[in-house]
Every structure is written in C-alpha cells, then in structure tokens.
Amino acid sequence: MMHLILADSELELIPKKLIKHPAVRNSKSKILDASLHHAAMKGLKQWQRRGRPDIVHVFLLIANESILNKEGMLRTYVHTRNDEVIYIKPETRIIKNYNRFKGLMEQLFEHGKVPPENEALMEMKKESLEELLDKLEGKRILFSMDGEKRKLENIMEEDVICIIGGFPSGDFLSPVHKMVDEVVSIYHEMLPAWIVGMEAIVAYENKFVK
Amino acid sequence: MMHLILADSELELIPKKLIKHPAVRNSKSKILDASLHHAAMKGLKQWQRRGRPDIVHVFLLIANESILNKEGMLRTYVHTRNDEVIYIKPETRIIKNYNRFKGLMEQLFEHGKVPPENEALMEMKKESLEELLDKLEGKRILFSMDGEKRKLENIMEEDVICIIGGFPSGDFLSPVHKMVDEVVSIYHEMLPAWIVGMEAIVAYENKFVK
C-alpha cells in the first residue's frame, strides 16, 4: 500500500480578521483563495504562500483518478497548515469543478465530513502530521529539494508513505525531517505538489502493479 | 521530442442558440461549461460530453509543469471538437485558477492568441487533427480503450506523438484510427485524459530523460 500525504497544505477558512475587507466581503466561498483574496491577505503572516485550495484540488484529481487508486493500492490524506487531516476514501470521485470543490472543503470545515449526512467520503480530523504518521505502516519518504537525488523506483517499498508539501513556496511548517526515513529530491527546481505526486504514483505503479 | 495532443477536446464558446437560456444569460464566462450550463445544454447534440474546459485545464497543468517540459522535450497541443488547435509555448506557465484559465481560453477564441498584445504564449489556429499531425515528426500513438495492452516504456520512441482524447466519454470525433501507427490501451477502465497524459509523460521521462 502507498500512503500519499499532502502535508502542510495551504487550505483554510478565511481568517476572521479578513472578513470585513472589501476583497473578501462579497466572497461566495469561505475558503481562503489567494487568486480572489490577494488584496486582503497582505496583513496575514506568511501571506505569500497561503490560500491555495487549487493545489489540493489538482493533487486529489491526480491521486484519486490514478490507476494505482483504482487498483486499491493507494490511500490519500490532506494535512493542513492548521493541523487538520482530511481522510479521503479511495472510492471518492473528486469533483472536477473547482468552485464546487471549494464548496466541499467548506462543508468539511463546518461539519467534519462530506456528505454531512450518510457515510462520509471525506472526513476531517484535528490532527498533526506526526499523529497521522503514527497510524500508518511503511517506509517514510519525504520529497524535498534539499534531499538526495534518487531514482524513485529504486527507493519505493511495498509499504511506503510519501510526504509531499502542499504549499507553493518556502519550507514545511511541520518538523518533518525528524519524522522520516529518507529525504529525496527528484528535480533541481521546485515542482508543484501534483507533479511530485504523479512521479511518486507512477514509480510505485511501475514497481508493484501487476 | 514528445508531441502531446489532447484531441477532440470539449472546449468551445457557448453556442449562440443557448445565449438567451436562463442558465446561461448571466454567465460571466463565454466558454461552455457543463458544470454551470448543464440545464441549458440538453438541446445540443452530444450534450452529455460537451463543455469540459476543466479537462483541458488539468491536462495542461500536468503537461506544462512536468519535468519533461522543463527539460525542453515536450510540445503540447489542444485540438478541439470544432477543429481548432491551440499551440502552447513550453515556457507558458498555465494559470492555476480555473476561472481565470477560462478567461484566457475566451481570449484565444476572440483574438487567436494570448496575450493579445506582444508575443503569443498560446495561439489558436483553425486546423484539423490531421493537418496538425502532418506538421509533426514521430511515431503516432493513439491512446484508446480498444487498443492493445502494452507497457508504455516499450513502445515510446525518441520522436513520438501521443494522442489522447479530451472528452469525458464516448469516442473520438476525428477519424483518428486511420492516422496513427499504433493504438494502445493502458487500463481496462476509461481514465481521465490527464491520467493518461501523466502515464505517457512519465514513461517517456523514464526512457529518455538523462
């Protein structure tokens, strides 16, 4: 099984102090989104990296539609900057429309699960990255530009936990380096989270599917 | 070089006959989008598959941010249901926000290029899939569920043209089968275009990068 974690993702509700700002006041969605709320965000600490639900969306569109997931060999988790963890059932079909996806994320923050009635396809828990890792079995690989350059197929193990940063720039907020077995770099430039995810997924498929 | 073509993509302007429909009238974007215009689309032929700019968006986010593209070994094209072809410069950074991406597509339909001033990063030409293929060099591989199951790394050649359907269901509208050298299937279920794209890109990287 591959456990794939998008860590320290920039997914959060609009902070209270921003709610009266003109760039936010008429926002249809309660999810902070840099592409809409940019003008209001400059008062936030670390504002340049925050408000990126789009990264979470594309990452999940790749992970949950992948061959690896359809084969039942992938579990995907989204850990946020405020230490929430979203558990995503493998059978979840990630909604393709971005605005509706943000609506679902909003429901998660409000009700802790979606759909709010019936059995949950996605569930959000208050949990740190370390607490999540303690529940999972496998070699822990962190993807980071300061890691060693390795061919992914060589380091994949049948039980593996891949940790990928869910932020557009900067470094992990969680103390990840002390939690992992190996730190690898797959390219000399910063790559978007979904590209790292796709490289990890296909490497695992090539080694273990069929 | 890998040439990657998203063929018969469901990308188009809102058809004139829909413009007065209540579900369309107040639409901010002129791009047909099934997730917004669903109620208005039932009068269109093949309405179930049309209006999918989201597929184009995710496909381009994967292709243009990939390691293969950063290495200068990928060229990406979007061919539409109405025989337009979008040429995308490898250095183009695809805009992450979905609504703004649709705005750019609208500009392409209106001005033929973006940005409308200065040197174009994306350009749209009236052109069939066959006319596009005639300009490109390489083995032509069509991805289709009715193809032969093959390991992608084995069939990739250094000069290769990969053709992937840019629609959510059904078959190609263009007579693709007579234009290609090989038809391959990589899975026994229908996969989204971006998943096929990622498998093709990583297979080519594994064989030819470094």
Side-chain angles (χ1 to χ4, degrees):
Chain A
M1 184 72 71
M2 172 188 269
H3 298 278
L4 187 62
I5 304 175
L6 192 68
D8 294 331
S9 308
E10 292 295 352
L11 178 68
E12 60 185 313
L13 291 173
I14 298 172
K16 283 208 183 67
K17 63 181 276 198
L18 260 52
I19 281 177
K20 290 188 177 165
H21 191 285
V24 167
R25 219 164 28 204
N26 299 318
S27 185
K28 279 184 196 160
S29 163
K30 289 182 186 156
I31 299 289
L32 187 68
D33 187 337
S35 73
L36 301 175
H37 308 138
H38 194 258
M41 287 171 65
K42 297 197 175 165
L44 296 176
K45 65 173 185 157
Q46 301 179 317
W47 64 272
Q48 294 101 327
R49 61 184 279 169
R50 289 168 73 176
R52 295 302 302 270
D54 58 305
I55 294 177
V56 178
H57 187 218
V58 179
F59 187 84
L60 291 181
L61 283 174
I62 285 174
N64 264 48
E65 295 282 354
S66 68
I67 291 174
L68 190 61
N69 188 54
K70 288 177 201 288
E71 289 293 306
M73 297 163 78
L74 179 67
R75 294 293 178 274
T76 308
Y77 314 84
V78 175
H79 165 262
T80 74
R81 69 152 36 236
N82 295 316
D83 278 342
E84 295 115 345
V85 173
I86 305 173
Y87 289 74
I88 297 133
K89 285 246 173 79
E91 61 268 34
T92 308
R93 303 214 60 179
I94 303 298
I95 197 154
K96 310 293 183 291
N97 181 272
Y98 176 59
N99 301 311
R100 293 193 182 170
F101 174 77
K102 286 199 291 179
L104 288 184
M105 293 299 105
E106 199 176 313
Q107 280 187 25
L108 271 180
F109 279 105
E110 280 175 7
H111 305 289
K113 60 175 198 154
V114 285
E117 322 73 28
N118 305 329
E119 208 198 316
L121 287 169
M122 296 197 247
E123 215 167 336
M124 180 183 272
K125 294 179 184 169
K126 189 72 197 159
E127 198 166 81
S128 70
L129 183 59
E130 190 153 19
E131 289 166 321
L132 171 62
L133 285 171
D134 281 345
K135 298 181 184 172
L136 308 178
E137 295 275 334
K139 177 183 176 182
R140 299 171 177 184
I141 301 176
L142 176 68
F143 290 78
S144 170
M145 273 186 66
D146 60 18
E148 206 183 329
K149 182 114 172 69
R150 296 293 300 277
K151 189 160 162 50
L152 281 184
E153 271 187 63
N154 296 341
I155 58 165
M156 283 292 166
E157 293 184 7
E158 191 140 12
D159 284 317
V160 71
I161 305 168
C162 294
I163 304 165
I164 297 170
F167 43 85
S169 59
D171 206 348
F172 288 91
L173 306 171
S174 303
V176 278
H177 283 79
K178 62 168 195 167
M179 305 175 194
V180 299
D181 299 310
E182 192 160 352
V183 185
V184 298
S185 164
I186 58 171
Y187 199 58
H188 58 270
E189 282 179 36
M190 185 105 175
L191 296 168
W194 62 86
I195 297 292
V196 184
M198 97 183 197
E199 294 284 346
I201 287 169
V202 178
Y204 189 94
E205 285 174 359
N206 285 340
K207 193 159 179 177
F208 295 112
V209 173
K210 272 199 351 121
Chain B
M1 185 71 71
M2 172 188 269
H3 298 278
L4 187 63
I5 304 175
L6 192 68
D8 294 331
S9 308
E10 292 295 351
L11 178 69
E12 61 184 313
L13 291 173
I14 298 172
K16 283 207 183 70
K17 64 181 275 198
L18 260 52
I19 281 177
K20 290 189 177 164
H21 192 286
V24 167
R25 219 164 28 204
N26 299 318
S27 185
K28 279 183 195 160
S29 163
K30 289 182 187 156
I31 299 289
L32 187 69
D33 187 337
S35 73
L36 302 174
H37 308 138
H38 194 258
M41 286 171 66
K42 297 198 174 165
L44 296 176
K45 65 173 184 159
Q46 301 179 316
W47 63 272
Q48 294 101 326
R49 60 183 280 168
R50 290 168 73 176
R52 295 302 302 269
D54 58 306
I55 294 176
V56 178
H57 187 219
V58 179
F59 186 84
L60 291 181
L61 283 174
I62 285 174
N64 264 47
E65 295 282 353
S66 68
I67 292 174
L68 190 61
N69 188 54
K70 289 178 201 288
E71 289 293 306
M73 296 163 78
L74 178 67
R75 295 293 178 273
T76 308
Y77 314 84
V78 175
H79 165 262
T80 74
R81 69 152 36 237
N82 295 316
D83 279 341
E84 295 114 345
V85 173
I86 305 173
Y87 289 74
I88 297 132
K89 285 246 173 79
E91 61 268 34
T92 307
R93 303 214 59 180
I94 303 298
I95 197 153
K96 310 293 183 290
N97 181 273
Y98 176 59
N99 300 312
R100 292 194 183 170
F101 175 77
K102 286 199 292 179
L104 288 185
M105 293 299 105
E106 200 175 313
Q107 279 186 26
L108 270 180
F109 279 106
E110 279 175 8
H111 305 290
K113 60 176 198 154
V114 285
E117 323 71 30
N118 306 329
E119 208 198 317
L121 287 169
M122 296 197 247
E123 215 167 335
M124 180 183 271
K125 295 180 185 170
K126 189 73 197 158
E127 198 166 82
S128 70
L129 183 59
E130 190 153 19
E131 289 166 323
L132 170 62
L133 285 171
D134 282 344
K135 296 180 185 173
L136 308 178
E137 295 275 333
K139 177 183 176 182
R140 298 171 177 185
I141 301 176
L142 176 68
F143 290 78
S144 170
M145 273 186 66
D146 60 17
E148 206 183 329
K149 182 114 173 66
R150 295 293 299 276
K151 189 160 163 50
L152 281 184
E153 271 187 63
N154 296 341
I155 59 166
M156 284 292 167
E157 292 184 8
E158 191 140 13
D159 284 317
V160 71
I161 305 168
C162 293
I163 304 165
I164 297 170
F167 43 86
S169 60
D171 206 349
F172 288 91
L173 306 172
S174 303
V176 278
H177 283 79
K178 63 168 195 167
M179 304 176 194
V180 300
D181 299 310
E182 192 160 351
V183 185
V184 298
S185 164
I186 58 171
Y187 199 58
H188 58 270
E189 281 179 36
M190 186 105 175
L191 296 168
W194 61 87
I195 297 292
V196 183
M198 97 183 196
E199 294 284 346
I201 287 169
V202 178
Y204 189 93
E205 286 174 359
N206 285 340
K207 193 158 180 178
F208 295 113
V209 173
K210 272 197 355 117

